[in-house]
């Protein structure tokens, strides 16, 4: 064990810090100098440190598995403060407003990422009726997907149809675009 080893661990998080420290020490190249006897002693010391590291890791793994818990550093969840929520979700409009900062923090703590939160909101908001749309109407909606929010405007050439609980397909003469059902609105009605 090296001179600067952290103090004896009290829990899995402390043990993880110890293991990371010792793993870094094991990766330092061994410089063999001196007599053959000195070199053999250095190699034996490195082997003993490696064996101790393996034993500590095995104990760590056993404790984490038995308790069905992981150290905080390995958990998927994130601690998101009230101040962080707007910045964390700014590229996913409507998510923070729909869920509220407390829900965003709670769902982030169990591992949901901003795209997953946005998908959850879209799915819940998407269960609603489409406005009446007929060929020739100009319709607007937010493109469905996990990328940044982007609004499209389409002069539809046929009646749109739903594609799952939260997506609607808008078609024009050039192609089809899937948009969030909750975002669909008629911009201009065809009077013909």
């Amino acid at each position: 064990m090296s001179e600067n080893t952290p103090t004896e661990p009290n829990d899995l998080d402390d043990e993880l810090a110890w293991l990371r420290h010792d793993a870094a020490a094991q990766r330092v190249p061994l410089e063999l100098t001196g007599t053959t006897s000195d070199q053999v002693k250095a190699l034996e010391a490195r082997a003993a440190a490696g064996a101790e590291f393996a034993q500590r890791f095995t104990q760590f793994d056993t404790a984490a598995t038995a308790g069905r818990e992981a150290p905080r550093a390995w958990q998927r969840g994130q601690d998101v403060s009230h101040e962080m929520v707007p910045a964390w979700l700014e590229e996913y409009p409507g998510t923070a407003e729909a869920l509220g900062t407390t829900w965003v923090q709670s769902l982030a703590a169990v591992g949901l990422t901003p795209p997953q939160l946005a998908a959850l909101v879209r799915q819940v908001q998407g269960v609603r009726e489409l406005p009446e749309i007929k060929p020739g109407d100009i319709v607007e909606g937010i493109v469905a997907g996990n990328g940044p929010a982007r609004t499209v405007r389409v002069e539809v050439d046929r009646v749109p149809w739903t594609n799952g609980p939260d997506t609607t397909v808008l078609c024009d003469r050039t192609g089809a675009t899937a948009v969030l059902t909750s975002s669909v609105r008629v911009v201009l009605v065809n009077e013909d």
Side-chain angles (χ1 to χ4, degrees), residues 19 30 32 55 58 72 114 131-132 134 136 140 143-144 183 190:
L19 288 170
L30 187 61
L32 297 175
Q55 181 182 4
T58 302
R72 284 184 300 277
E132 185 179 331
K134 60 188 180 308
E140 186 176 79
V143 175
S183 70
N190 181 14

Side-chain angles (χ1 to χ4, degrees), residues 125-155:
Q125 290 177 340
V127 182
R128 73 172 182 95
E129 296 295 317
L130 279 173
E132 185 179 331
I133 300 171
K134 60 188 180 308
D137 289 350
I138 296 178
V139 180
E140 186 176 79
I142 298 173
V143 175
N146 286 336
R150 183 173 59 90
T151 302
V152 294
R153 195 171 275 191
V154 175
E155 182 179 343

Side-chain angles (χ1 to χ4, degrees), residues 122 125-131 142 144 161-169 179-185:
R122 285 194 307 262
Q125 290 177 340
V127 182
R128 73 172 182 95
E129 296 295 317
L130 279 173
I142 298 173
W161 65 91
T162 58
N163 184 29
D166 61 345
T167 313
T168 297
V169 179
V179 297
L180 303 175
T181 302
S182 61
S183 70
V184 172
R185 69 184 191 97

Side-chain angles (χ1 to χ4, degrees), residues 2 17-29 46 53:
S2 63
W18 185 93
L19 288 170
R20 285 180 173 160
H21 178 273
D22 204 47
Q26 290 292 318
R27 295 189 61 195
V28 174
R46 177 58 71 97
F53 175 77

Side-chain angles (χ1 to χ4, degrees), residues 102-123:
T102 303
W103 268 101
V104 168
Q105 288 174 296
S106 300
L107 293 172
V110 297
L112 266 70
T113 62
Q116 291 170 325
L117 290 170
L120 175 66
V121 170
R122 285 194 307 262
Q123 186 167 356

Side-chain angles (χ1 to χ4, degrees), residues 5-6 9 11-23 60 71:
T5 301
D11 62 12
L12 292 176
D13 295 291
D14 292 340
E15 180 72 2
L16 181 59
W18 185 93
L19 288 170
R20 285 180 173 160
H21 178 273
D22 204 47
F60 170 82

Side-chain angles (χ1 to χ4, degrees), residues 134-138 186-192:
K134 60 188 180 308
D137 289 350
I138 296 178
V186 179
V187 178
L188 185 63
V189 176
N190 181 14
E191 298 297 336
D192 295 336

